[in-house]
Amino acid sequence: MAQVPQTFFDALAVRTWCSLALTALGRAREEIDAINVYPVADGDTGTNLYLTVESATTAVEAVFAGYETAPAAVRSPSLADAAHAMAHGALIGARGNSGTILAQLLRGMAQVLADEGETSHTDADRLRLALRRAADSARQAVVHPVEGTVLSVASAAADAAEGSGGDCGTVARAAYRGACAALAATPAQLTVLEHAGVVDAGGRGLVAVLAALVETFTGEAPVLSPALPAGGTPAREEAGPQAATADCADAPGGADGPAFEVIYLLEAEEPAVARLRQRLDALGDSLVVVGGDGLWNVHVHVDDAGAAVEAGVEAGRPYRIRITHFGAGDAHARGGERLVRERVQRAVVAVVPGEGLAGLYTEAGATTVLARPGEPPASGELVEAVRRAHAREVVLLPNDAELRHTAAAAAEQARSEGIRVALIPTRSAVQGIAALAVHEADRRFDEDVVSMTSAAGATRYAEVAVAERQSWTMAGICQAGDVLGLIDGDVAVIGADVTATAERTLDRMLSAGGELVTLVLGDDAPEDIADHLESRVREAYLAVDTVVYRGGRQGALLLIGVE
């Protein structure tokens, strides 16, 4: 069914565009992955673009959800709200070289679209400016821009838009056609593309995103330009299935290129980021740093991954750190030779709320997905983690009641790819710890899942946090700033002191019995709280053991588990 066209660029158009772009990239993901030869032939450009747009879409949907209960006069967010959400979502969810550049393209557009403040919509002139700002800002974010890549396609789209007249639909069509022509020309600009008989994968993804923009404003999806074959791979059929991995040794990330891809989000000020760029540029290549206003997404290919992370620590606070070895995965090609890693039989994938717990889970053998407070992972991120675990059987631990449906969708997608997935509905990271403690990969899958589910279900969980606003609770009315003790998701204790509230919460949990208390401390928890609670358990509850972990920046001041 044709999409209802949007006359102006407003918040609904942003929402529609994100949704259509996600659908388009979902359809094209495998094709784009297959033609990915530059800067590294690792077969994941389509997937990275999809995950980046999925994060942007999730952020925009969250903004709209916040207006569902508002008065009728303000039932929709402003254009600025939606555009900022799109850009922020893409920034925090950006994956790989291509996803990071796409995030900057969307950020550049958002800067222009939000310039007019709280206006409900804007016109074709602002769309032209937005496309130009997007192309220019993306080029500036890449330390050493290369022609024949997505940067060339974005610039051509902006040039074509500037030369067009008419409404938003006309501008979008012009940008799309300019992008198609530029994409078809990429093999002539990059030798590695010409030898492989493919167009640039990142540029192919941008064409899909611009096609979604055309559909947003016209209601009709454009037919691929005659200058670009439908598959986007003009010589691939003649060259054979290995064409996309051939002759890549001289490309960055090839046989002589850096061994690791390092990506992280970084909280830092702009002067520190400028110094970081210089340091990372000396360490490796494919350096892209995007963002602003104190939050950045850093992407680089290096041989010394530790040095790249240390540079981030010196600049500010890095988190969501992802390090990929180009020779370790099943999808990475080096010098035209595809390396295949054997699948393990079973793995555990877990969502964790802080860096400390991520380290703990990783040491126990789990593949982790770090969830920053207020920014839960999307289903695509969980699917990617399941794939990254590279196992025939996967146990998925969401560790958050609100992630159950997201995790279920991810499990279903993974099952459709032939992976056996069992979802254990853990509602807290301490339940996940209990489940992981009894995990045995050598026993039958069903038996392992039952044992892990039983351990999680036998673990009561609690958290101590600070109330953000006045609210009615099961324990009475709380005020902003009150300390809350939540047991199994419900407020059970309201207090003024963190340690005293934690003690009362723990006493309530242990009144029903228990053998082991797990305490996970957040960065902002009082220094002496662990010692105080351990002493309380020793003095008042015989034969109950206590273990303490540092969770890092996990949102809650303290997590408590009682088994």
Side-chain angles (χ1 to χ4, degrees), residues 97 312 462 484 505 537:
N97 190 72
L484 308 179
T505 302
V537 172

Side-chain angles (χ1 to χ4, degrees), residues 395-452:
V395 180
L396 182 57
L397 306 175
N399 291 339
D400 186 336
E402 295 184 0
L403 282 179
R404 182 169 183 176
H405 294 300
T406 301
E412 192 61 33
Q413 172 62 35
R415 291 183 191 116
S416 71
E417 298 176 10
I419 304 171
R420 189 180 184 188
V421 180
L423 170 61
I424 298 179
T426 48
R427 293 170 289 175
S428 170
V430 291
Q431 288 188 320
I433 291 173
L436 197 55
V438 300
H439 166 58
E440 292 184 16
D442 293 335
R443 63 185 165 195
R444 290 179 56 247
F445 185 62
D446 292 339
E447 292 177 357
D448 197 28
V449 170
V450 168
S451 178
M452 294 176 73

Side-chain angles (χ1 to χ4, degrees), residues 308-494:
V309 175
E310 288 172 9
V313 172
E314 291 181 7
R317 178 182 173 273
Y319 61 98
R320 286 199 183 182
I321 300 167
R322 292 172 48 83
I323 300 173
T324 302
H325 190 287
F326 286 131
D330 62 316
H332 296 286
R334 304 295 300 275
E337 190 172 318
R338 191 169 294 272
L339 303 178
V340 180
R341 186 181 72 187
E342 288 295 325
R343 284 186 180 273
V344 298
Q345 182 62 31
R346 189 174 309 157
V348 176
V349 173
V351 180
V352 289
E355 296 89 343
L357 281 179
L360 174 67
Y361 272 74
T362 301
E363 287 176 8
T367 297
T368 60
V369 177
L370 186 60
R372 192 183 186 208
E375 297 174 357
S379 62
E381 192 170 355
L382 299 187
V383 172
E384 187 196 26
V386 170
R387 294 178 184 133
R388 195 168 71 243
H390 212 77
R392 298 181 181 87
E393 302 167 340
V394 171
V395 180
L396 182 57
L397 306 175
N399 291 339
D400 186 336
E402 295 184 0
L403 282 179
R404 182 169 183 176
H405 294 300
T406 301
E412 192 61 33
Q413 172 62 35
R415 291 183 191 116
S416 71
E417 298 176 10
I419 304 171
R420 189 180 184 188
V421 180
L423 170 61
I424 298 179
T426 48
R427 293 170 289 175
S428 170
V430 291
Q431 288 188 320
I433 291 173
L436 197 55
V438 300
H439 166 58
E440 292 184 16
D442 293 335
R443 63 185 165 195
R444 290 179 56 247
F445 185 62
D446 292 339
E447 292 177 357
D448 197 28
V449 170
V450 168
S451 178
M452 294 176 73
T453 302
S454 297
T459 303
R460 299 191 70 194
Y461 66 95
E463 67 177 71
V464 177
V466 177
E468 297 180 354
R469 62 183 70 86
Q470 183 187 62
S471 179
W472 290 88
T473 76
M474 296 287 288
I477 301 175
C478 72
Q479 305 295 327
D482 283 348
V483 181
L484 308 179
L486 296 89
I487 299 177
D488 294 339
D490 293 324
V491 175
V493 179
I494 300 175

Side-chain angles (χ1 to χ4, degrees), residues 11 40 118 159 174 234 246 264 271 278 281 296 357 465 469 477 492 531:
V40 176
E118 295 303 307
D159 292 343
Y264 49 80
Q278 293 179 343
D281 189 29
W296 310 82
L357 281 179
R469 62 183 70 86
I477 301 175
D531 291 339

Side-chain angles (χ1 to χ4, degrees), residues 46-140:
T47 299
N48 288 336
L49 289 170
Y50 178 87
L51 291 172
T52 302
V53 173
E54 182 182 50
S55 183
T57 303
T58 299
V60 172
E61 290 299 327
V63 168
F64 272 84
Y67 281 80
E68 289 179 354
T69 58
V74 285
R75 280 288 170 86
S76 178
S78 67
L79 172 60
D81 288 339
H84 279 313
M86 173 184 69
H88 180 72
L91 177 67
I92 65 173
R95 297 304 182 90
N97 190 72
S98 55
T100 308
I101 293 174
L102 178 61
Q104 188 68 1
L105 288 167
L106 296 179
R107 177 180 170 81
M109 291 193 70
Q111 288 173 334
V112 173
L113 296 176
D115 270 352
E116 298 189 357
E118 295 303 307
T119 183
S120 62
H121 65 270
T122 192
D123 58 16
D125 288 337
R126 301 298 291 183
L127 177 55
R128 293 186 190 91
L129 289 174
L131 290 166
R132 172 51 60 195
R133 177 75 66 84
D136 291 348
S137 62
R139 189 170 288 270
Q140 291 165 6

Side-chain angles (χ1 to χ4, degrees), residues 503-524:
E503 181 179 323
R504 290 171 57 198
T505 302
L506 183 56
D507 283 341
R508 288 204 179 194
M509 298 179 75
L510 287 172
S511 65
E515 299 177 356
L516 176 65
V517 171
T518 301
L519 304 175
V520 183
L521 307 181
D523 281 346
D524 297 325

Side-chain angles (χ1 to χ4, degrees), residues 234-256:
R236 184 171 177 80
E237 291 183 4
E238 296 177 11
Q242 295 300 318
T245 60
D247 301 308
C248 299
D250 296 331
D256 299 321

Side-chain angles (χ1 to χ4, degrees), residues 219-314:
E220 297 179 358
V223 177
L224 213 57
S225 167
L228 177 66
T233 55
R236 184 171 177 80
E237 291 183 4
E238 296 177 11
Q242 295 300 318
T245 60
D247 301 308
C248 299
D250 296 331
D256 299 321
F260 297 96
E261 177 184 59
V262 178
I263 306 173
Y264 49 80
L265 291 179
L266 177 70
E267 292 178 351
E269 297 303 316
E270 197 155 341
V273 173
R275 294 190 294 272
L276 175 66
R277 288 176 189 268
Q278 293 179 343
R279 181 166 178 186
L280 292 180
D281 189 29
L283 287 174
D285 60 34
S286 296
L287 174 58
V288 186
V289 182
V290 304
D293 302 320
L295 181 62
W296 310 82
N297 192 306
V298 179
H299 170 280
V300 67
H301 294 170
V302 293
D303 280 322
D304 190 342
V309 175
E310 288 172 9
V313 172
E314 291 181 7

